[in-house]
Amino acid sequence: MLRYIGQRLLIMLPIILGISFIVFMILDLTPGDPARIILGDSATDESVRVLREEMGLNDHAIIRYFRYVKNAITGDFGKSYRSGLPVLSELKARMPTSFKLATGSMIMIIIIGIPVGIISAAKQYSLLDTLSLTSALLLTSMPNFWLGLMLMLFFSLKLDLLPATGAYTWQHFILPSITLGAFGLATMIRMTRSSMLEVIRQDYIRTARSKGVGEFKVITRHALKNALLPIITIVGMNFALMLGGGMIIESTFALPGIGSLAIQAIRTKDTPIVIGAIIFIAIAISVMNLIVDIIYTFVDPRLKTIITAENVVK
Amino acid sequence: MAERLLEIKDLNVVYETDESVVHAVNNLNLVINKGETLGLVGETGAGKTTAALSIMKLLPDKTGIIKRGEIGLENINITIATKYDKRLLRGNVISMIFQDPMTSLNPTLTVEYQIAEVLALHKKDMKKAELSKRVDEILEMVGLPPSRKHEYPHQFSGGMKQRVVIAIALACEPKLLLADEPTTALDVTIQAQILKLMKELKEKLDTAMLLITHDLGVVAEICDKVAIMYAGQIIEQGMIEDIFESKYHHPYTEGLFDAIPDLSKKTKRLNPVEGLMPDPTDLPTGCFFHVRCRKCMDICKTKEPEIKWTNADKTHLIKCHLFNDNK
Ligand SMILES: Nc1ncnc2c1ncn2[C@@H]1O[C@H](COP(=O)(O)OP(=O)(O)OP(=O)(O)O)[C@@H](O)[C@H]1O
Ligand code: SF4
Ligand SMILES: [Mg+2]
């Protein structure tokens, strides 16, 4: 198992390198002189020229990329053009907020999405089923920022129950988490439902019923674990995406997370921050994938056998 | 006189879908006595599985409907059993073995759990240690090493899986075992082993068995009685000697036998008689077999034949106009 994890982590390296290369090159092609951005419009051409020399900006892009990678290995991802602070510490400062937000959304998706999906499948074509499918459809068709604004209007301004912006207490995370998780929740309901429906049709469910197992236990003990694989995938992917992808929502609710940092950096052409944020998201997704695959082996004994067998061979 | 265990009277089962109504079982009558093995033989689509599922009350929700008839178990009509009652019956009094052992076991639960579960459900007074011991005994009984009980189904071969399935079905020593083609999915050599095991166990536990099969060779080996099913009806039924030795037969049964030159040879799927089973959504008038029957008479096309006993003991019956007294 450890060996498997090691292998997977090794495979991650070239992927991250590839992504960083592509992002580096694309950003290099966009107009704008970093030295000018750092020094501002009022600086003289001479001082800009000196700074360019200092930063090695006159070198070929490939050379600069390799320099970037070399520094990155030692933990130096460059400095923000705007604040002058190291990218890593900027990202680190934003991580807890993004993490709390993504966790909040995830919890909501899991505790609402999975049970609703299960009930929907167990009572297929019933009123409850129709109701949950309709809500899922509504959730997907609502634009995120609009939902965020509506929630803010209603719960903060009208009812004055929850704070609208900022990241000071856990209450501050409720509305943004709901907004961020809305789409994932809809996916989760539909995925759980279809996965459960698929499993319920299987022969071994009929076997369970033929043993005299009650319907509740048929669903919870016999069907759910088998339906879990696609559900775990959704949870993992959503979590990784939400960690870095809450750009619009973080901005709407004025949450200082990775997403709002990235948006701001893109607007101000703060290239090191943009690359740093994208690498962070890429790592988050890769690690999440790995975690999901490891959880798989606990859920499905067949996969565990495959992974352990693989290790014996190698 | 043997004691009656299961008695099916005029059972009619349909599958109602949006497009059509499938008449899968039509006026089925069957009796199984205690400890007896009845072979139910018929072409694919004859309604054999449907009949077994009706006994288990496992027909697909909403689509599979018992329209008419009674299923009596020890003289209690179980067609009207409540949700709770039928759970008490399943796995305890009546068990079922399904066709494909590869898909019949839950891939995410250990073999031990799957066997112990049925015991825990029906033998409520058993303690945990007792359960575990009983699981070992049952595994030994079906010829599997108890040491492997913590493994998952995918770690077993097809034949071993079917042994696990049999272990689950017989764990509570049911009075009736419904075996729906228990060996068709297995290799020929393993088929013989599994059948032998089932025969031994049912004798040991004094369980009656309804054995659904396509294989007349299997029937000859382990059944006491045979019922031949066609388009949801029993068209001939008798003791094993009646079917294999009597000179009177339903034309369809004759067709089945003609297809097997040597009884000792095993046959694959039966499709012995020319033509196809009638469309179950649009059954013919008269005798359901008349379209394919070589001896078809005028009366067969319009009038449904009655059941006639061919012997004085009333063990052998045939549903065909050829055996009408006024013929
Ligand atoms: N769930 C269902 N919905 C609609 N029709 C069905 C359903 N299950 C079975 N049928 C139909 O009912 C008829 C009887 O099917 P059944 O499975 O009982 O046949 P069988 O004798 O067991 O055949 P086989 O030997 O192939 O297992 C067939 O015409 C089949 O198409
Ligand atoms: S009743 Fe007529 S058609 Fe039917 S099997 Fe007998 S002879 Fe053939
Ligand atoms: Mg069948």
Side-chain angles (χ1 to χ4, degrees):
Chain A
M1 190 58 140
L2 271 178
R3 195 177 187 136
Y4 172 76
I5 296 173
Q7 282 171 1
R8 287 287 305 268
L9 286 173
L10 270 180
I11 299 171
M12 263 166 65
L13 274 179
I15 296 174
I16 308 269
L17 270 178
I19 290 171
S20 65
F21 181 75
I22 294 168
V23 176
F24 191 93
M25 291 305 156
I26 291 174
L27 286 176
D28 197 65
L29 290 175
T30 54
D33 181 354
R36 173 65 71 195
I37 293 169
I38 293 171
L39 294 175
D41 288 337
S42 53
T44 61
D45 285 354
E46 177 56 20
S47 53
V48 168
R49 199 189 57 79
V50 171
L51 186 61
R52 278 190 67 90
E53 196 65 40
E54 222 171 83
M55 291 172 70
L57 287 173
N58 294 325
D59 295 334
H60 190 267
I62 301 280
I63 295 173
R64 278 183 283 124
Y65 174 70
F66 277 110
R67 199 185 294 142
Y68 178 79
V69 172
K70 201 184 103 218
N71 291 336
I73 290 168
T74 65
D76 174 12
F77 288 85
K79 287 191 175 107
S80 160
Y81 292 164
R82 295 289 165 188
S83 67
L85 292 170
V87 171
L88 202 58
S89 55
E90 287 261 19
L91 286 176
K92 266 190 192 153
R94 303 291 191 121
M95 264 182 228
T97 306
S98 284
F99 193 79
K100 282 181 207 160
L101 178 61
T103 308
S105 302
M106 215 58 257
I107 291 172
M108 177 194 74
I109 290 176
I110 291 172
I111 62 172
I112 300 177
I114 295 180
V116 169
I118 293 173
I119 293 168
S120 215
K123 307 260 176 238
Q124 195 187 6
Y125 303 134
S126 69
L127 190 66
L128 277 173
D129 184 25
T130 318
L131 213 70
S132 75
L133 283 183
T134 318
S135 342
L137 185 70
L138 273 177
L139 285 177
T140 18
S141 42
M142 257 188 283
N144 248 338
F145 68 92
W146 181 83
L147 175 64
L149 290 176
M150 286 304 125
L151 288 175
M152 235 190 256
L153 265 178
F154 193 69
F155 288 101
S156 308
L157 300 183
K158 210 168 160 114
L159 298 181
D160 199 21
L161 278 175
L162 293 164
T165 57
Y168 307 105
T169 62
W170 63 269
Q171 284 99 329
H172 282 89
F173 284 92
I174 293 180
L175 293 183
S177 291
I178 293 173
T179 315
L180 181 60
F183 194 83
L185 176 63
T187 328
M188 180 61 90
I189 291 174
R190 275 200 295 244
M191 196 67 206
T192 308
R193 178 180 181 272
S194 66
S195 184
M196 282 298 282
L197 283 177
E198 173 70 31
V199 170
I200 289 172
R201 283 197 287 115
Q202 300 296 315
D203 284 352
Y204 53 78
I205 296 300
R206 192 172 59 179
T207 306
R209 292 200 177 113
S210 81
K211 285 155 80 176
V213 180
E215 210 46 32
F216 183 75
K217 245 189 144 190
V218 166
I219 298 288
T220 53
R221 200 77 188 81
H222 287 261
L224 187 57
K225 212 173 168 195
N226 286 285
L228 226 46
L229 291 192
I231 297 175
I232 296 168
T233 315
I234 298 262
V235 172
M237 283 327 290
N238 267 312
F239 189 77
L241 286 174
M242 289 189 309
L243 257 187
M247 302 193 183
I248 295 165
I249 286 131
E250 284 180 7
S251 309
T252 313
F253 288 94
L255 289 174
I258 305 268
S260 56
L261 177 70
I263 276 266
Q264 196 186 327
I266 291 169
R267 257 191 228 122
T268 57
K269 292 209 183 309
D270 196 345
T271 323
I273 295 278
V274 177
I275 300 181
I278 290 175
I279 292 179
F280 169 78
I281 295 169
I283 293 177
I285 291 177
S286 307
V287 170
M288 235 24 241
N289 269 337
L290 176 58
I291 294 176
V292 163
D293 285 354
I294 293 170
I295 297 175
Y296 274 1
T297 64
F298 287 101
V299 173
D300 192 333
R302 282 167 298 186
L303 292 172
K304 186 158 195 170
T305 316
I306 292 169
I307 285 179
T308 14
E310 204 176 53
N311 284 340
V312 173
V313 175
K314 278 177 187 164
Chain B
M1 171 93 191
E3 255 182 287
R4 261 183 201 184
L5 177 64
L6 180 84
E7 182 167 16
I8 300 181
K9 273 193 212 151
D10 292 326
L11 184 70
N12 283 269
V13 184
V14 296
Y15 291 105
E16 282 181 3
T17 57
D18 290 344
E19 303 93 51
S20 59
V21 180
V22 178
H23 297 268
V25 171
N26 306 294
N27 293 323
L28 179 83
N29 288 284
L30 261 189
V31 173
I32 300 180
N33 294 325
K34 285 198 174 141
E36 184 176 74
T37 304
L38 174 79
L40 187 60
V41 182
E43 271 173 279
T44 180
K48 307 180 296 293
T49 301
T50 307
L53 291 176
S54 316
I55 300 170
M56 286 297 274
K57 299 211 77 183
L58 275 177
L59 288 168
D61 235 13
K62 298 202 177 95
T63 47
I65 301 160
I66 295 182
K67 276 283 167 191
R68 198 151 59 78
E70 256 178 46
I71 300 171
L73 188 77
E74 295 188 312
N75 292 323
I76 297 164
N77 182 3
I78 57 168
T79 27
I80 49 171
T82 62
K83 228 176 174 176
Y84 184 69
D85 288 340
K86 72 187 185 195
R87 269 170 49 196
L88 289 182
L89 286 175
R90 286 181 194 159
N92 189 23
V93 184
I94 317 172
S95 285
M96 185 157 177
I97 298 176
F98 299 99
Q99 188 164 341
D100 192 353
M102 301 301 166
T103 55
S104 294
L105 294 170
N106 193 323
T108 58
L109 299 171
T110 62
V111 163
E112 178 179 30
Y113 180 91
Q114 298 191 52
I115 299 174
E117 181 180 43
V118 69
L119 286 168
L121 273 168
H122 300 295
K123 308 263 180 272
K124 294 235 156 58
D125 47 339
M126 268 189 157
K127 306 250 160 26
K128 223 177 173 172
E130 276 177 276
L131 276 179
S132 171
K133 209 174 121 244
R134 181 82 186 114
V135 170
D136 291 357
E137 282 169 19
I138 293 165
L139 280 171
E140 244 158 44
M141 192 173 83
V142 296
L144 290 173
S147 56
R148 297 195 58 182
K149 66 180 176 180
H150 300 298
E151 291 180 23
Y152 290 92
H154 73 275
Q155 290 159 293
F156 290 79
S157 71
M160 293 167 89
K161 276 185 205 161
Q162 196 62 310
R163 283 170 196 264
V164 175
V165 171
I166 292 170
I168 294 171
L170 294 180
C172 294
E173 307 188 359
K175 292 185 176 156
L176 177 64
L177 176 65
L178 310 173
D180 190 357
E181 305 190 39
T183 57
T184 20
L186 303 172
D187 284 349
V188 184
T189 45
I190 298 172
Q191 281 188 10
Q193 287 173 18
I194 295 286
L195 281 169
K196 188 163 158 272
L197 174 75
M198 286 177 62
K199 190 179 170 170
E200 279 168 20
L201 290 179
K202 74 155 285 273
E203 269 155 27
K204 188 171 155 204
L205 305 175
D206 199 27
T207 299
M209 176 156 78
L210 177 72
L211 178 71
I212 297 175
T213 177
H214 287 84
D215 194 333
L216 283 169
V218 169
V219 169
E221 251 169 68
I222 64 173
C223 295
D224 307 311
K225 285 203 292 193
V226 191
I228 316 265
M229 197 166 179
Y230 185 80
Q233 295 185 326
I234 304 294
I235 48 101
E236 178 165 356
Q237 184 183 323
M239 303 305 289
I240 197 95
E241 313 86 62
D242 297 328
I243 303 296
F244 285 88
E245 281 156 26
S246 162
K247 53 186 189 301
Y248 303 113
H249 282 302
H250 190 282
Y252 178 65
T253 317
E254 279 171 8
L256 293 187
F257 277 103
D258 287 349
I260 316 169
D262 182 7
L263 251 189
S264 58
K265 279 196 192 128
K266 302 265 159 79
T267 45
K268 288 276 168 211
R269 297 246 134 187
L270 285 178
N271 196 4
V273 188
E274 233 169 85
L276 296 170
M277 234 350 174
D279 178 0
T281 58
D282 184 20
L283 288 167
T285 53
C287 169
F288 288 168
F289 188 58
H290 83 248
V291 197
R292 295 164 79 182
C293 183
R294 271 174 286 175
K295 299 181 181 164
C296 177
M297 305 168 287
D298 281 344
I299 186 175
C300 307
K301 294 175 184 161
T302 49
K303 190 165 178 287
E304 190 182 332
E306 277 162 32
I307 286 167
K308 290 289 169 207
W309 302 100
T310 70
N311 53 359
D313 295 349
K314 291 200 168 186
T315 56
H316 185 201
L317 65 82
I318 297 178
K319 185 180 166 83
C320 169
H321 286 304
L322 289 172
F323 297 87
N324 258 355
D325 301 332
N326 52 14
K327 175 199 61 156

